[in-house]
Amino acid sequence: MQRTSTALAFLLTVGLPTYAAVSSANETLHLYNWSDYVAEDTLSGFAAETGIKPRLDVYDSNEVLEAKLFAGRSGYDLVFPTARPFGARHIKAELYLPLDKSKLPGLDQLDPAIMSQLASIDPDNAHLVPYMWGTSGLGINRDKVQSALGETADIDTWALIFDPETAAKLGACGISLLDDPTEVYSAALAYLGKDPNSLDKDDLDAASALIKAIHPYVRYFHSSQYMSDLANGDLCVAMGYSGDVFQAQSRAEEADRGVVIDYVLPREGAAVWTDVMAIPKDAPNPAAAHAFIAYMLQPAAIAAVSNAVYYANPNLAATPFLDEAVREDPAIYPPDEVKARLFVPSERSDREIRDLNRLWTRLKANR
């Protein structure tokens, strides 16, 4: 006898104007998402509409998520990888279930340009649904940077962390880098005027030498700790994700202790990325995963996330629900002249990733 989950029964009901709470009391959805990446009422709102209890675990790097996916039996129903290069590699490895698009009303409201970009790695958009998109740049403590470098110093440049003389001046007040080899090497290559996606040995050697030269001035490598440290005034420069820096800025303003945080997109170029929703092929409850994706396709639900975490979302119908401060911020929704400076991380083979990770491990250990 085959048991049909109540979440599946719910999803098989087509055309409902709202999501009725028809799930059994013990139906559970296991989510694995980035830290600080939902609105305060996202999970409670989903539970109220579906009756499904969401359980959220968090990570702060794609590498951590990827290790669990390749190991198998992660126990998660829905994950949120960055599309390139990670989601692309996962699709090739057949780690995700195909989507049942008949259960996902609202797909037609998603930005055609983003869907087209995703289709280049996920034909027919068969496995990935875009969640949020953003950039990787620099969070700076304006007063501390100006105190160390002077009020007329250039701040829209990767030189703040990659120029050894500049890094030496900022090291005392704190520099942090993402614990992500793809992000850091791409930024270093962009600063050197090279292809940020280059895997040429000479280019990688040059980037490695650059990172090693500034290593003494880096307080730590971490992909989430900088949010609280920027907000508290404990760092003066952090390489970070756009929305995370804006959250730090908001927290600093709420604390009202005189800490002023700015987000900078370096003029040499910066990464632009899209995080997506995907269902692992061994997900215990794929029906509940579909229900959560459908919920996040509601314009008001996804706009609430953007308003909370300061990342752009791909749902064009969500624009009226965005706070004006989010909708009109050119650092969240960049104008075309800024987009021209952005680059998309390219796909890499398993061997190339392993080689880069080995380089990264040695660099962090300062060997």
Side-chain angles (χ1 to χ4, degrees):
M1 181 178 68
Q2 183 177 356
R3 293 185 296 174
T4 302
S5 76
T6 52
L8 180 58
F10 157 74
L11 285 167
L12 289 173
T13 304
V14 180
L16 289 176
T18 59
Y19 293 95
V22 297
S23 172
S24 63
N26 60 358
E27 181 108 33
T28 302
L29 167 70
H30 292 278
L31 302 167
Y32 198 36
N33 198 354
W34 295 84
S35 58
D36 299 288
Y37 215 26
V38 294
E40 185 175 345
D41 61 352
T42 299
L43 301 185
S44 60
F46 170 73
E49 291 207 6
T50 66
I52 302 169
K53 296 179 180 178
R55 296 289 182 266
L56 174 65
D57 290 335
V58 300
Y59 54 90
D60 64 5
S61 78
N62 278 291
E63 287 79 8
V64 171
L65 165 63
E66 186 169 79
K68 288 184 179 290
L69 291 175
F70 275 107
R73 298 182 180 273
S74 69
Y76 294 112
D77 300 305
L78 192 65
V79 296
F80 297 73
T82 301
R84 290 178 183 269
F86 295 91
R89 188 160 61 252
H90 301 167
I91 289 171
K92 287 183 177 179
E94 299 183 347
L95 296 182
Y96 296 135
L97 288 176
L99 299 165
D100 184 346
K101 296 182 182 179
S102 70
K103 311 304 186 297
L104 302 175
L107 284 174
D108 59 339
Q109 299 171 341
L110 300 180
D111 188 334
I114 292 177
M115 297 299 285
S116 177
Q117 292 171 4
L118 291 179
S120 67
I121 61 170
D122 181 27
D124 298 321
N125 300 114
H127 304 85
L128 308 178
V129 177
Y131 178 66
M132 293 280 152
W133 64 272
T135 55
S136 301
L138 294 171
I140 68 169
N141 183 311
R142 185 190 308 167
D143 294 336
K144 287 191 173 184
V145 168
Q146 289 180 344
S147 176
L149 303 180
E151 293 188 2
T152 60
D154 286 340
I155 61 171
D156 64 335
T157 171
W158 288 116
L160 289 181
I161 57 175
F162 289 129
D163 175 65
E165 291 186 7
T166 303
K169 295 177 182 178
L170 296 172
C173 60
I175 295 173
S176 74
L177 299 185
L178 292 170
D179 189 7
D180 186 318
T182 301
E183 291 277 4
V184 177
Y185 268 90
S186 293
L189 289 166
Y191 172 69
L192 291 170
K194 301 179 182 296
D195 177 1
N197 288 311
S198 176
L199 291 173
D200 178 82
K201 184 180 183 303
D202 290 340
D203 290 348
L204 291 179
D205 286 346
S208 295
L210 185 68
I211 299 166
K212 189 170 184 178
I214 57 99
H215 189 286
Y217 314 115
V218 176
R219 184 169 295 176
Y220 58 74
F221 300 84
H222 203 279
S223 296
S224 60
Q225 182 179 337
Y226 66 89
M227 292 174 61
S228 58
D229 286 348
L230 276 175
N232 294 332
D234 295 330
L235 286 175
C236 57
V237 180
M239 180 186 187
Y241 306 118
S242 52
D244 288 0
V245 175
F246 287 123
Q247 289 181 65
Q249 182 185 71
S250 177
R251 293 175 188 178
E253 291 173 352
E254 290 173 2
D256 195 22
R257 297 193 315 202
V259 176
V260 179
I261 302 300
D262 292 328
Y263 178 67
V264 173
L265 279 172
R267 59 176 180 261
E268 298 92 350
V272 59
W273 40 262
T274 301
D275 288 339
V276 296
M277 296 178 280
I279 304 173
K281 66 179 179 182
D282 57 357
N285 197 345
H290 276 84
F292 189 84
I293 296 173
Y295 179 72
M296 296 317 302
L297 287 171
Q298 295 183 48
I302 196 66
V305 178
S306 288
N307 290 336
V309 303
Y310 303 98
Y311 284 109
N313 74 73
N315 194 321
L316 299 180
T319 303
F321 298 94
L322 293 173
D323 293 341
E324 183 179 359
V326 172
R327 185 174 64 247
E328 302 297 331
D329 193 323
I332 300 176
Y333 287 93
D336 290 342
E337 61 268 22
V338 174
K339 288 182 179 179
R341 303 203 310 265
L342 304 177
F343 59 83
V344 178
S346 63
E347 295 177 53
R348 291 172 178 171
S349 68
D350 291 343
R351 179 177 179 179
E352 290 165 344
I353 288 292
R354 286 195 300 270
D355 290 345
L356 192 62
N357 284 339
R358 279 195 291 268
L359 281 175
W360 185 239
T361 299
R362 289 198 297 269
L363 274 175
K364 287 198 298 179
N366 202 23
R367 297 200 302 266

